[in-house]
Amino acid sequence: MFYPLAGKLVPWFAVSSAILFAVGMYLGFFVAPTDATQGEFYRIIYIHVPASILSMFLYLVMAGYAALGLIFNTRLSSMMASALAPTGALFAFIALWTGALWGKPMWGTWWVWDARLTSELILLFLYLGFISLHASIDDPRRADRASALLAIVGSVNVPIIYFSVKWWNTLHQGSTIKFTGTSMQVTMQHAMFTMLAACWLYAVAVVLSRVRSIILERERHTKWVAELPEVAL
Amino acid sequence: MDIWMRENPLTYVWIGSYAVAFLVLAVEIALVVHKRKATLQEVRQLLDVEESE
């Protein structure tokens, strides 16, 4: 049921994502005005902020699926957790990379051991730890359980990243987008939210594609896999 | 580097962050597509072996 549905949804998410990336880039580079204090360098935020948000959000979703798999022993939940980890790790990497690119002209340095930056780096290591731990255990069910524990424990880091700019005196600026609203200029908001939607749709498309491969791999001995049209080719 | 980035901020932003980010995403897509093809081939081979037995 899930496997064919995911296959049908992937192209829609992928095409929507590509369109929104193009629109978001156009708004971000050609419509949004230059920032009064940061000049053109601020335009990094259109990829930096969505990547940071996605890296945290995907971790929580991954930990949620991992917990479901651990508690209810549902195979698909554990497969979803495994499929989410590489995409989350890449978004964490992009957030750190683009943050460093922004930090150099604004702060005069690529990196500082600031609470926000350090906790985001820990998030990347948690993703890599999850992937490595899962890959290091041969039995998939045992690998699911062990990596689920790591994912659940590591989820403590996500609120630390989010609130780090409030709890500690950090070089990283405070949140511009809050649950209560934002003080950003309207065109900048449009560009930012379009890019956020593009990244979100991209993540859904890639994760669904990856989970389909994981399902095929794990269920390869079942009858329904043998009857799939793409397998029977 | 400092002087270049201040003289060419948009090029710095484009190449440094967007080009790298899209390259990373393109590599991920390529890996997902490769994994899909490899898994399908593996499953087909397994079924062939089972049939021949």
Side-chain angles (χ1 to χ4, degrees):
Chain A
M1 178 72 185
F2 174 81
Y3 181 89
L5 179 68
K8 280 179 190 153
L9 289 175
V10 167
W12 291 99
F13 283 114
V15 171
S16 312
S17 166
I19 292 168
L20 286 181
F21 266 126
V23 174
M25 295 289 284
Y26 173 75
L27 290 175
F29 277 88
F30 299 104
V31 180
T34 307
D35 187 76
T37 50
Q38 300 180 24
E40 301 291 355
F41 294 113
Y42 96 93
R43 293 187 201 276
I44 289 176
I45 63 165
Y46 299 126
I47 188 72
H48 174 71
V49 175
S52 310
I53 292 173
L54 262 269
S55 68
M56 291 187 281
F57 178 72
L58 289 181
Y59 193 90
L60 290 180
V61 177
M62 182 186 85
Y65 272 123
L68 280 176
L70 192 66
I71 297 163
F72 299 109
N73 218 17
T74 45
R75 284 177 299 174
L76 184 59
S77 309
S78 303
M79 292 183 209
M80 279 300 290
S82 305
L84 280 157
T87 306
L90 287 180
F91 275 116
F93 170 77
I94 292 171
L96 289 166
W97 177 270
T98 52
L101 264 278
W102 181 85
K104 183 63 179 167
M106 291 299 116
W107 300 338
T109 180
W110 303 106
W111 181 264
V112 281
W113 291 101
D114 168 288
R116 172 60 72 85
L117 277 69
T118 309
S119 51
E120 182 72 21
L121 181 65
I122 291 170
L123 184 75
L124 175 62
F125 291 152
L126 282 167
Y127 273 122
L128 296 179
F130 180 92
I131 296 165
S132 309
L133 182 62
H134 200 280
S136 66
I137 301 171
D138 287 334
D139 177 14
R141 302 299 291 156
R142 280 186 59 223
D144 287 342
R145 283 196 292 273
S147 49
L149 280 175
L150 178 65
I152 293 163
V153 173
S155 61
V156 172
N157 188 46
V158 175
I160 293 175
I161 300 172
Y162 185 77
F163 292 109
S164 59
V165 287
K166 282 186 183 172
W167 292 343
W168 292 286
N169 188 16
T170 60
L171 190 57
H172 194 285
Q173 68 193 69
S175 301
T176 311
I177 302 170
K178 298 169 188 161
F179 290 115
T180 49
T182 176
S183 55
M184 275 176 89
Q185 197 260 354
V186 179
T187 331
M188 293 179 182
Q189 276 184 49
H190 290 162
M192 173 85 83
F193 289 118
T194 308
M195 288 295 280
L196 179 62
C199 288
W200 190 80
L201 290 168
Y202 165 84
V204 175
V206 169
V207 169
L208 285 181
S209 295
R210 189 180 289 116
V211 82
R212 289 182 90 226
S213 296
I214 296 173
I215 292 170
L216 267 188
E217 203 170 34
R218 291 218 196 164
E219 304 283 308
R220 61 185 180 272
H221 295 292
T222 57
K223 196 178 168 223
W224 74 269
V225 166
E227 288 169 354
L228 284 172
E230 61 260 46
V231 172
L233 276 175
Chain B
M1 180 72 180
D2 271 2
I3 297 164
W4 179 84
M5 81 166 75
R6 286 182 198 289
E7 283 176 353
N8 307 284
L10 275 175
T11 313
Y12 172 78
V13 170
W14 253 107
I15 297 173
S17 51
Y18 287 89
V20 171
F22 286 125
L23 181 70
V24 167
L25 300 186
V27 169
E28 186 185 22
I29 292 168
L31 287 173
V32 167
V33 171
H34 172 74
K35 167 89 176 163
R36 167 93 180 147
K37 283 180 184 169
T39 311
L40 272 174
Q41 203 173 351
E42 199 181 305
V43 173
R44 281 186 203 129
Q45 279 172 353
L46 185 87
L47 287 173
D48 286 345
V49 170
E50 279 175 4
E51 266 178 35
S52 61
E53 281 172 358

